[in-house]
Amino acid sequence: MREGVNIYCQEKTWKHSVLPRGFKNAPFSLARKADAENELMVCIDIDSELVSETDGNALFDDAGEQTDYLKARSEAVGKVAEFNQQTQTITQHLASLDLIASRQLTVNLEKEGQPLNINGLYLIDEKVLNELPADKFEDLRSKGLLTLIYAQINSIHQVGRLTAKQNAFDKS
């Protein structure tokens, strides 16, 4: 609700039913190699409190080979990159059909004392969706994208819950 503040990341423990996949990967991340644009490498934040030279899982065995633990973590980081690519492809497809529209959201936060406008939200334009020619709508259905589209449309109903959470955070 506020720039620079994630109301879900203010407590030491995660108390919500869905854990973002990327959270599970910390302190690992993926980066493109500078000298090879199509190659990726797994990186580790060695300054993270999750990294220890004495406790936890080893990354390499005595022969200098990756352990099963590191292989599994690398695969998990790769999956996030795969999902991000899928998301980008789907978003580009929806944008090509003019289904994505920029909207402003207005919420009432107690601390503000007046309505707060949130800009930069991109939503499915239901009017455009409902006016799609039958063949383009069928194409979305056949690609399995209608479920995602309707999930995004329904997600806007979570704004009330987010507003209540922000108000509770502001009081603390």
Side-chain angles (χ1 to χ4, degrees), residues 1-2 105-118 159-160 162-168 170:
M1 295 284 174
R2 287 201 173 75
L105 182 65
T106 302
V107 295
N108 292 308
L109 297 178
E110 294 168 8
K111 187 175 181 179
E112 302 298 322
Q114 60 185 15
L116 173 70
N117 293 321
I118 300 172
V159 171
L162 292 173
T163 301
K165 189 164 183 60
Q166 181 68 58
N167 285 331
D170 289 344

Side-chain angles (χ1 to χ4, degrees), residues 90-95 97-102 122-125:
I90 291 167
T91 302
Q92 288 171 346
H93 181 63
L94 297 178
L97 296 171
D98 293 324
L99 287 172
I100 299 177
S102 177
Y122 292 89
L123 308 173
I124 295 295
D125 188 324

Side-chain angles (χ1 to χ4, degrees), residues 2-163:
R2 287 201 173 75
E3 188 174 340
V5 177
N6 184 325
I7 55 177
Y8 284 94
C9 296
Q10 302 302 314
E11 301 167 359
K12 289 207 179 263
T13 58
W14 188 260
K15 299 178 182 179
H16 310 285
S17 60
V18 176
L19 178 66
R21 189 178 291 263
F23 282 22
K24 295 177 188 177
N25 292 332
F28 297 93
S29 62
L30 208 57
R32 294 201 185 286
K33 283 187 163 184
D35 56 346
E37 189 176 312
N38 291 333
E39 287 188 53
L40 300 172
M41 61 183 165
V42 175
C43 304
I44 185 167
D45 178 2
I46 60 171
D47 295 327
S48 169
E49 62 187 34
L50 299 172
V51 176
S52 170
E53 291 185 21
T54 57
D55 297 325
N57 296 295
L59 303 180
F60 299 96
D61 62 21
D62 293 335
E65 299 296 320
Q66 292 184 19
T67 61
D68 289 341
Y69 172 78
L70 180 56
K71 288 176 185 175
R73 296 300 300 267
S74 296
E75 186 177 320
V77 170
K79 284 285 187 200
V80 170
E82 244 179 75
F83 290 137
N84 288 342
Q85 181 59 48
Q86 288 175 351
T87 299
Q88 186 176 9
T89 300
I90 291 167
T91 302
Q92 288 171 346
H93 181 63
L94 297 178
S96 75
L97 296 171
D98 293 324
L99 287 172
I100 299 177
S102 177
R103 296 285 191 259
Q104 181 182 71
L105 182 65
T106 302
V107 295
N108 292 308
L109 297 178
E110 294 168 8
K111 187 175 181 179
E112 302 298 322
Q114 60 185 15
L116 173 70
N117 293 321
I118 300 172
N119 297 306
L121 296 176
Y122 292 89
L123 308 173
I124 295 295
D125 188 324
E126 290 183 73
K127 183 177 186 300
V128 173
L129 178 65
N130 290 330
E131 293 173 355
L132 274 181
D135 62 323
K136 291 188 179 188
F137 189 86
E138 175 58 26
D139 181 59
L140 291 173
R141 189 200 61 75
S142 70
K143 290 179 179 175
L145 298 179
L146 289 179
T147 303
L148 294 172
I149 289 170
Y150 290 124
Q152 192 284 317
I153 290 170
N154 284 322
S155 72
I156 199 68
H157 300 295
Q158 297 297 319
V159 171
R161 188 176 53 80
L162 292 173
T163 301

